[in-house]
Amino acid sequence: MKDNPRQITEIQAAIIVISTIIGVGVLPLPLFASRAGGTGGPMVTAAAVVTALVSLLLITKLGQRFPKQTIVQYSEELIGKWPARLGTVCIIVFFGVLTAMTAREFGEVVITSVLKKTPLDVTVIVMLLLAALSTRNSLATFAYIHQFYFPLILFPAMVIIALSLKNANLLYLQPIWGESTAGMLHGILIIAALFQGSFVMTLVIPAMRSPGKAMRASVWGIAISGGLYLLIVIATLAVFGPEETNKLLWPTLELAKVTSLPANILERLDAAFLAIWVTAVFTTLLSAHYFTIHALSQLFRLNDHKLFSMMLLPYVFVMAMYPKNVLQMYEIISIVGRIGLVLTFVYPLFLLLVAIFRKKGGGKTDDRNRTTDRKGAEPTPSVSSQPVK
């Protein structure tokens, strides 16, 4: 990636993963966990975090074998030009739809909770425009944007969760394994789909100063974001219980409403929580749209990704406005999430197996080439000193 020098540090890579994952899915998360496992919702969430970690480790391991290329580039070397392009197009379409549904869900929450008289399409287009304008920056600036907003997302969210626990009833979390395991697998897949934004790591690794540290950055990214998700589920179920949680559309927002600061300085924290949530949605949208336009520019062999930042906006907006209501929106999100698990888990696993079988990337040949790039021309082979008979 000649246009992106290696400027991203290990900490920045972990922050990108965290702020990309923590987003619009925070609000319905406890509902998904409670419907899948009841009191076993925390166990379902923990299993989903492990599933997401395995997926990201596969992506990171694959990226470390090709530290100078993104998945768009090295997939053509592994499985051929046209099969790889087909896979790239599927990934681009998936992240385009993911961007659209994220913007739509943001709009639904805003017009329901805050700006009740504002048209839905206005809230959606404003957020999309903000994300599109931000994607016109370089990858280094993209990392700095995530780094700037990271403390504003994580630490206030932890404070709200901690304050909500004063209303907790631990009996709502028993039995910890849940009463039925029938829907747990489906719930694990739904919650694991909330971590699919971590696929942006395939774009980050070629720009890292030390690609060898990408694995540690991935582990920290999933551990922190997954830990926050797990705490949200535990706090929500401990306050409302599984029966009440199943009746709430956005349980995390309701949790913020019943949480207050000490001495009743603020009796409800939902306004502060929504401010944090809007920031989290922006960083998620930024990553999804940034990956989409970068993948498109590499697919068409373009050196500048800015061309697609605004060009894709009308298509994303149309997709965002396609669902007729909230229920249809969540049905589409569920379907897209299951398809995305194939693209973000099965496809990288297939590429990694091909790379290992064909001995591509990370081998002696690549090491020799990197040594040659550092020292200049390849050394001339030595001539045998044995006499000619």
Side-chain angles (χ1 to χ4, degrees), residues 99-100 102-103 106 123-137 142 145-146 149 278-291 293 305 308-310 313 316:
T99 304
T102 301
F106 165 79
T123 59
V124 172
I125 194 63
V126 167
M127 181 56 80
L128 286 176
L129 276 172
L130 183 60
L133 289 173
S134 301
T135 56
R136 296 178 63 84
N137 296 301
F142 167 78
I145 292 174
H146 279 281
Y149 286 115
V278 168
T279 306
V281 172
F282 166 71
T283 54
T284 302
L285 267 176
L286 174 65
S287 293
H289 195 56
Y290 199 86
F291 179 86
I293 63 176
H305 65 280
F308 297 107
S309 60
M310 291 297 179
L313 207 57
V316 175

Tab-separated table of all heavy atoms in Angstrom, residues 99-100 102-103 106 123-137 142 145-146 149 278-291 293 305 308-310 313 316:
chain	number	residue	atom	x	y	z
A	99	THR	N	-23.511	-0.691	6.392
A	99	THR	CA	-23.522	0.757	6.585
A	99	THR	C	-24.946	1.303	6.545
A	99	THR	O	-25.346	2.125	7.387
A	99	THR	CB	-22.675	1.447	5.502
A	99	THR	OG1	-21.346	0.912	5.529
A	99	THR	CG2	-22.615	2.938	5.720
A	100	ALA	N	-25.730	0.838	5.574
A	100	ALA	CA	-27.100	1.320	5.419
A	100	ALA	C	-27.962	0.955	6.628
A	100	ALA	O	-28.709	1.796	7.157
A	100	ALA	CB	-27.704	0.738	4.141
A	102	THR	N	-27.001	0.241	9.663
A	102	THR	CA	-26.539	0.974	10.843
A	102	THR	C	-27.113	2.381	10.866
A	102	THR	O	-27.589	2.868	11.903
A	102	THR	CB	-25.003	1.041	10.854
A	102	THR	OG1	-24.457	-0.285	10.859
A	102	THR	CG2	-24.496	1.780	12.087
A	103	ALA	N	-27.096	3.049	9.700
A	103	ALA	CA	-27.654	4.394	9.616
A	103	ALA	C	-29.160	4.375	9.863
A	103	ALA	O	-29.705	5.267	10.534
A	103	ALA	CB	-27.345	5.002	8.247
A	106	PHE	N	-29.873	3.863	13.550
A	106	PHE	CA	-29.596	5.126	14.232
A	106	PHE	C	-30.779	6.088	14.080
A	106	PHE	O	-31.228	6.713	15.045
A	106	PHE	CB	-28.325	5.758	13.655
A	106	PHE	CG	-28.145	7.199	14.012
A	106	PHE	CD1	-27.658	7.560	15.253
A	106	PHE	CD2	-28.457	8.204	13.107
A	106	PHE	CE1	-27.501	8.909	15.596
A	106	PHE	CE2	-28.296	9.536	13.428
A	106	PHE	CZ	-27.819	9.893	14.680
A	123	THR	N	-32.529	12.383	9.521
A	123	THR	CA	-31.534	11.880	10.479
A	123	THR	C	-30.583	10.893	9.816
A	123	THR	O	-29.380	10.884	10.105
A	123	THR	CB	-32.242	11.214	11.662
A	123	THR	OG1	-33.062	10.133	11.185
A	123	THR	CG2	-33.112	12.202	12.399
A	124	VAL	N	-31.106	10.064	8.916
A	124	VAL	CA	-30.264	9.073	8.241
A	124	VAL	C	-29.257	9.753	7.324
A	124	VAL	O	-28.061	9.446	7.351
A	124	VAL	CB	-31.134	8.069	7.454
A	124	VAL	CG1	-30.253	7.166	6.584
A	124	VAL	CG2	-31.968	7.226	8.403
A	125	ILE	N	-29.698	10.693	6.514
A	125	ILE	CA	-28.804	11.321	5.542
A	125	ILE	C	-27.758	12.184	6.224
A	125	ILE	O	-26.619	12.295	5.751
A	125	ILE	CB	-29.613	12.146	4.506
A	125	ILE	CG1	-28.731	12.518	3.309
A	125	ILE	CG2	-30.188	13.387	5.138
A	125	ILE	CD1	-28.214	11.352	2.521
A	126	VAL	N	-28.114	12.806	7.363
A	126	VAL	CA	-27.129	13.620	8.083
A	126	VAL	C	-25.982	12.749	8.598
A	126	VAL	O	-24.801	13.097	8.463
A	126	VAL	CB	-27.806	14.381	9.244
A	126	VAL	CG1	-26.761	14.962	10.185
A	126	VAL	CG2	-28.682	15.492	8.696
A	127	MET	N	-26.310	11.614	9.189
A	127	MET	CA	-25.260	10.726	9.691
A	127	MET	C	-24.425	10.142	8.557
A	127	MET	O	-23.196	10.028	8.660
A	127	MET	CB	-25.880	9.610	10.532
A	127	MET	CG	-24.856	8.645	11.130
A	127	MET	SD	-23.598	9.432	12.145
A	127	MET	CE	-24.471	9.670	13.676
A	128	LEU	N	-25.068	9.778	7.453
A	128	LEU	CA	-24.336	9.248	6.308
A	128	LEU	C	-23.400	10.304	5.713
A	128	LEU	O	-22.262	9.992	5.323
A	128	LEU	CB	-25.305	8.742	5.245
A	128	LEU	CG	-26.020	7.421	5.548
A	128	LEU	CD1	-27.020	7.092	4.445
A	128	LEU	CD2	-25.018	6.284	5.696
A	129	LEU	N	-23.865	11.540	5.622
A	129	LEU	CA	-23.019	12.614	5.105
A	129	LEU	C	-21.814	12.847	6.002
A	129	LEU	O	-20.692	13.039	5.514
A	129	LEU	CB	-23.833	13.908	4.985
A	129	LEU	CG	-24.658	14.084	3.714
A	129	LEU	CD1	-25.552	15.322	3.828
A	129	LEU	CD2	-23.741	14.207	2.493
A	130	LEU	N	-22.034	12.828	7.302
A	130	LEU	CA	-20.936	13.020	8.240
A	130	LEU	C	-19.888	11.914	8.106
A	130	LEU	O	-18.679	12.181	8.086
A	130	LEU	CB	-21.484	13.047	9.671
A	130	LEU	CG	-20.480	13.324	10.792
A	130	LEU	CD1	-19.832	14.684	10.593
A	130	LEU	CD2	-21.166	13.252	12.152
A	131	ALA	N	-20.355	10.673	7.975
A	131	ALA	CA	-19.419	9.559	7.807
A	131	ALA	C	-18.703	9.632	6.461
A	131	ALA	O	-17.496	9.392	6.372
A	131	ALA	CB	-20.159	8.231	7.944
A	132	ALA	N	-19.437	9.988	5.397
A	132	ALA	CA	-18.840	10.053	4.055
A	132	ALA	C	-17.773	11.131	3.978
A	132	ALA	O	-16.710	10.932	3.370
A	132	ALA	CB	-19.924	10.299	3.012
A	133	LEU	N	-18.025	12.285	4.574
A	133	LEU	CA	-17.022	13.361	4.563
A	133	LEU	C	-15.770	12.953	5.336
A	133	LEU	O	-14.653	13.305	4.949
A	133	LEU	CB	-17.625	14.635	5.163
A	133	LEU	CG	-18.689	15.335	4.314
A	133	LEU	CD1	-19.324	16.476	5.092
A	133	LEU	CD2	-18.085	15.850	3.008
A	134	SER	N	-15.951	12.217	6.414
A	134	SER	CA	-14.802	11.793	7.227
A	134	SER	C	-13.971	10.726	6.527
A	134	SER	O	-12.773	10.587	6.816
A	134	SER	CB	-15.285	11.266	8.579
A	134	SER	OG	-16.009	12.258	9.276
A	135	THR	N	-14.569	9.954	5.620
A	135	THR	CA	-13.826	8.898	4.936
A	135	THR	C	-12.905	9.427	3.850
A	135	THR	O	-12.134	8.659	3.265
A	135	THR	CB	-14.791	7.877	4.301
A	135	THR	OG1	-15.695	8.565	3.420
A	135	THR	CG2	-15.564	7.119	5.353
A	136	ARG	N	-12.948	10.716	3.567
A	136	ARG	CA	-12.083	11.292	2.544
A	136	ARG	C	-10.654	11.504	3.055
A	136	ARG	O	-9.776	11.936	2.307
A	136	ARG	CB	-12.663	12.617	2.048
A	136	ARG	CG	-14.008	12.459	1.355
A	136	ARG	CD	-14.585	13.798	0.928
A	136	ARG	NE	-13.733	14.455	-0.066
A	136	ARG	CZ	-13.771	14.217	-1.369
A	136	ARG	NH1	-14.631	13.318	-1.840
A	136	ARG	NH2	-12.981	14.847	-2.202
A	137	ASN	N	-10.409	11.214	4.313
A	137	ASN	CA	-9.087	11.392	4.900
A	137	ASN	C	-8.216	10.164	4.667
A	137	ASN	O	-8.686	9.112	4.216
A	137	ASN	CB	-9.218	11.656	6.405
A	137	ASN	CG	-9.947	12.954	6.698
A	137	ASN	OD1	-9.516	14.022	6.270
A	137	ASN	ND2	-11.063	12.865	7.417
A	142	PHE	N	-7.800	8.503	9.738
A	142	PHE	CA	-8.860	7.577	10.136
A	142	PHE	C	-8.552	6.971	11.506
A	142	PHE	O	-9.432	6.887	12.381
A	142	PHE	CB	-8.973	6.490	9.069
A	142	PHE	CG	-9.796	5.296	9.446
A	142	PHE	CD1	-11.178	5.340	9.425
A	142	PHE	CD2	-9.179	4.103	9.816
A	142	PHE	CE1	-11.934	4.228	9.758
A	142	PHE	CE2	-9.925	2.992	10.145
A	142	PHE	CZ	-11.308	3.058	10.123
A	145	ILE	N	-8.956	9.652	14.281
A	145	ILE	CA	-10.364	9.921	14.600
A	145	ILE	C	-10.875	8.895	15.617
A	145	ILE	O	-11.526	9.246	16.613
A	145	ILE	CB	-11.225	9.896	13.320
A	145	ILE	CG1	-10.880	11.089	12.423
A	145	ILE	CG2	-12.716	9.925	13.670
A	145	ILE	CD1	-11.577	11.058	11.081
A	146	HIS	N	-10.577	7.627	15.367
A	146	HIS	CA	-10.971	6.582	16.314
A	146	HIS	C	-10.303	6.798	17.664
A	146	HIS	O	-10.938	6.626	18.714
A	146	HIS	CB	-10.592	5.208	15.760
A	146	HIS	CG	-11.559	4.675	14.766
A	146	HIS	ND1	-12.753	4.081	15.112
A	146	HIS	CD2	-11.516	4.629	13.401
A	146	HIS	CE1	-13.405	3.701	14.037
A	146	HIS	NE2	-12.675	4.022	12.980
A	149	TYR	N	-12.058	9.669	19.699
A	149	TYR	CA	-13.386	9.393	20.245
A	149	TYR	C	-13.419	8.207	21.206
A	149	TYR	O	-14.416	8.031	21.918
A	149	TYR	CB	-14.387	9.138	19.106
A	149	TYR	CG	-14.789	10.390	18.371
A	149	TYR	CD1	-14.470	10.574	17.034
A	149	TYR	CD2	-15.502	11.391	19.018
A	149	TYR	CE1	-14.836	11.723	16.355
A	149	TYR	CE2	-15.878	12.543	18.352
A	149	TYR	CZ	-15.543	12.709	17.025
A	149	TYR	OH	-15.908	13.850	16.367
A	278	VAL	N	-24.386	8.037	20.069
A	278	VAL	CA	-24.266	8.687	18.757
A	278	VAL	C	-22.808	8.684	18.300
A	278	VAL	O	-22.505	8.435	17.124
A	278	VAL	CB	-24.825	10.125	18.820
A	278	VAL	CG1	-24.444	10.901	17.564
A	278	VAL	CG2	-26.337	10.104	18.972
A	279	THR	N	-21.898	8.957	19.224
A	279	THR	CA	-20.470	8.918	18.891
A	279	THR	C	-20.045	7.517	18.481
A	279	THR	O	-19.286	7.338	17.522
A	279	THR	CB	-19.639	9.376	20.100
A	279	THR	OG1	-20.093	10.655	20.541
A	279	THR	CG2	-18.165	9.479	19.738
A	280	ALA	N	-20.540	6.512	19.201
A	280	ALA	CA	-20.199	5.124	18.867
A	280	ALA	C	-20.751	4.731	17.505
A	280	ALA	O	-20.085	4.015	16.737
A	280	ALA	CB	-20.736	4.183	19.954
A	281	VAL	N	-21.957	5.180	17.184
A	281	VAL	CA	-22.537	4.884	15.871
A	281	VAL	C	-21.712	5.530	14.769
A	281	VAL	O	-21.471	4.927	13.705
A	281	VAL	CB	-23.993	5.381	15.800
A	281	VAL	CG1	-24.545	5.250	14.391
A	281	VAL	CG2	-24.864	4.589	16.765
A	282	PHE	N	-21.239	6.748	15.001
A	282	PHE	CA	-20.431	7.437	14.002
A	282	PHE	C	-19.148	6.668	13.695
A	282	PHE	O	-18.776	6.493	12.528
A	282	PHE	CB	-20.094	8.850	14.480
A	282	PHE	CG	-19.010	9.499	13.679
A	282	PHE	CD1	-19.237	9.921	12.377
A	282	PHE	CD2	-17.745	9.681	14.221
A	282	PHE	CE1	-18.231	10.507	11.622
A	282	PHE	CE2	-16.734	10.270	13.485
A	282	PHE	CZ	-16.971	10.680	12.182
A	283	THR	N	-18.440	6.200	14.722
A	283	THR	CA	-17.188	5.475	14.483
A	283	THR	C	-17.443	4.149	13.766
A	283	THR	O	-16.641	3.723	12.937
A	283	THR	CB	-16.456	5.221	15.811
A	283	THR	OG1	-17.329	4.555	16.739
A	283	THR	CG2	-15.981	6.524	16.417
A	284	THR	N	-18.558	3.498	14.072
A	284	THR	CA	-18.904	2.257	13.373
A	284	THR	C	-19.213	2.519	11.907
A	284	THR	O	-18.737	1.801	11.012
A	284	THR	CB	-20.109	1.586	14.048
A	284	THR	OG1	-19.805	1.329	15.422
A	284	THR	CG2	-20.455	0.272	13.368
A	285	LEU	N	-20.021	3.548	11.643
A	285	LEU	CA	-20.320	3.928	10.268
A	285	LEU	C	-19.066	4.330	9.511
A	285	LEU	O	-18.887	3.986	8.337
A	285	LEU	CB	-21.310	5.093	10.265
A	285	LEU	CG	-22.801	4.770	10.185
A	285	LEU	CD1	-23.608	6.049	10.284
A	285	LEU	CD2	-23.133	4.045	8.901
A	286	LEU	N	-18.195	5.060	10.180
A	286	LEU	CA	-16.942	5.500	9.559
A	286	LEU	C	-16.123	4.307	9.093
A	286	LEU	O	-15.637	4.283	7.947
A	286	LEU	CB	-16.146	6.340	10.559
A	286	LEU	CG	-14.744	6.775	10.125
A	286	LEU	CD1	-14.820	7.720	8.927
A	286	LEU	CD2	-14.020	7.451	11.294
A	287	SER	N	-15.982	3.299	9.934
A	287	SER	CA	-15.181	2.122	9.579
A	287	SER	C	-15.819	1.331	8.441
A	287	SER	O	-15.133	0.910	7.503
A	287	SER	CB	-14.998	1.217	10.798
A	287	SER	OG	-14.214	1.836	11.784
A	288	ALA	N	-17.135	1.116	8.515
A	288	ALA	CA	-17.812	0.333	7.484
A	288	ALA	C	-17.736	1.021	6.127
A	288	ALA	O	-17.423	0.394	5.108
A	288	ALA	CB	-19.270	0.095	7.880
A	289	HIS	N	-18.010	2.333	6.106
A	289	HIS	CA	-17.975	3.060	4.830
A	289	HIS	C	-16.545	3.200	4.322
A	289	HIS	O	-16.300	3.118	3.110
A	289	HIS	CB	-18.614	4.431	5.010
A	289	HIS	CG	-18.963	5.116	3.721
A	289	HIS	ND1	-19.771	4.525	2.769
A	289	HIS	CD2	-18.613	6.319	3.203
A	289	HIS	CE1	-19.904	5.342	1.733
A	289	HIS	NE2	-19.202	6.432	1.975
A	290	TYR	N	-15.595	3.396	5.229
A	290	TYR	CA	-14.188	3.528	4.827
A	290	TYR	C	-13.684	2.236	4.191
A	290	TYR	O	-12.987	2.258	3.170
A	290	TYR	CB	-13.341	3.886	6.044
A	290	TYR	CG	-11.988	4.475	5.708
A	290	TYR	CD1	-11.856	5.844	5.477
A	290	TYR	CD2	-10.850	3.685	5.631
A	290	TYR	CE1	-10.628	6.396	5.160
A	290	TYR	CE2	-9.620	4.241	5.323
A	290	TYR	CZ	-9.519	5.587	5.094
A	290	TYR	OH	-8.290	6.134	4.783
A	291	PHE	N	-14.029	1.104	4.797
A	291	PHE	CA	-13.612	-0.180	4.226
A	291	PHE	C	-14.257	-0.392	2.860
A	291	PHE	O	-13.606	-0.882	1.928
A	291	PHE	CB	-13.989	-1.322	5.164
A	291	PHE	CG	-13.623	-2.677	4.638
A	291	PHE	CD1	-12.359	-3.204	4.843
A	291	PHE	CD2	-14.534	-3.438	3.912
A	291	PHE	CE1	-12.011	-4.444	4.349
A	291	PHE	CE2	-14.195	-4.674	3.412
A	291	PHE	CZ	-12.930	-5.187	3.632
A	293	ILE	N	-15.293	1.831	0.538
A	293	ILE	CA	-14.733	2.630	-0.553
A	293	ILE	C	-13.280	2.264	-0.826
A	293	ILE	O	-12.824	2.326	-1.970
A	293	ILE	CB	-14.877	4.139	-0.260
A	293	ILE	CG1	-14.094	4.541	0.973
A	293	ILE	CG2	-16.337	4.510	-0.112
A	293	ILE	CD1	-14.127	6.049	1.247
A	305	HIS	N	-9.146	6.790	-2.993
A	305	HIS	CA	-10.452	6.260	-2.606
A	305	HIS	C	-11.524	7.341	-2.493
A	305	HIS	O	-12.698	7.028	-2.302
A	305	HIS	CB	-10.341	5.553	-1.255
A	305	HIS	CG	-9.995	6.486	-0.125
A	305	HIS	ND1	-8.705	6.915	0.109
A	305	HIS	CD2	-10.769	7.093	0.819
A	305	HIS	CE1	-8.698	7.723	1.157
A	305	HIS	NE2	-9.934	7.854	1.601
A	308	PHE	N	-15.143	7.459	-4.392
A	308	PHE	CA	-16.328	6.686	-4.028
A	308	PHE	C	-16.992	7.163	-2.743
A	308	PHE	O	-18.067	6.661	-2.399
A	308	PHE	CB	-15.962	5.211	-3.873
A	308	PHE	CG	-15.476	4.566	-5.139
A	308	PHE	CD1	-14.138	4.262	-5.307
A	308	PHE	CD2	-16.354	4.270	-6.159
A	308	PHE	CE1	-13.683	3.668	-6.478
A	308	PHE	CE2	-15.915	3.681	-7.335
A	308	PHE	CZ	-14.576	3.376	-7.499
A	309	SER	N	-16.376	8.082	-2.005
A	309	SER	CA	-16.925	8.491	-0.710
A	309	SER	C	-18.326	9.080	-0.852
A	309	SER	O	-19.218	8.785	-0.059
A	309	SER	CB	-15.988	9.486	-0.026
A	309	SER	OG	-15.826	10.638	-0.823
A	310	MET	N	-18.527	9.921	-1.877
A	310	MET	CA	-19.839	10.500	-2.125
A	310	MET	C	-20.632	9.743	-3.193
A	310	MET	O	-21.858	9.756	-3.182
A	310	MET	CB	-19.689	11.970	-2.546
A	310	MET	CG	-19.219	12.874	-1.424
A	310	MET	SD	-20.420	12.921	-0.075
A	310	MET	CE	-19.577	14.014	1.071
A	313	LEU	N	-22.988	7.200	-1.729
A	313	LEU	CA	-23.944	7.682	-0.743
A	313	LEU	C	-25.406	7.501	-1.167
A	313	LEU	O	-26.229	7.039	-0.355
A	313	LEU	CB	-23.656	9.152	-0.435
A	313	LEU	CG	-24.082	9.638	0.959
A	313	LEU	CD1	-23.418	8.792	2.033
A	313	LEU	CD2	-23.707	11.101	1.136
A	316	VAL	N	-26.395	3.790	-0.723
A	316	VAL	CA	-26.486	3.418	0.689
A	316	VAL	C	-27.751	4.002	1.308
A	316	VAL	O	-28.442	3.338	2.105
A	316	VAL	CB	-25.236	3.907	1.451
A	316	VAL	CG1	-25.365	3.631	2.944
A	316	VAL	CG2	-23.981	3.219	0.916
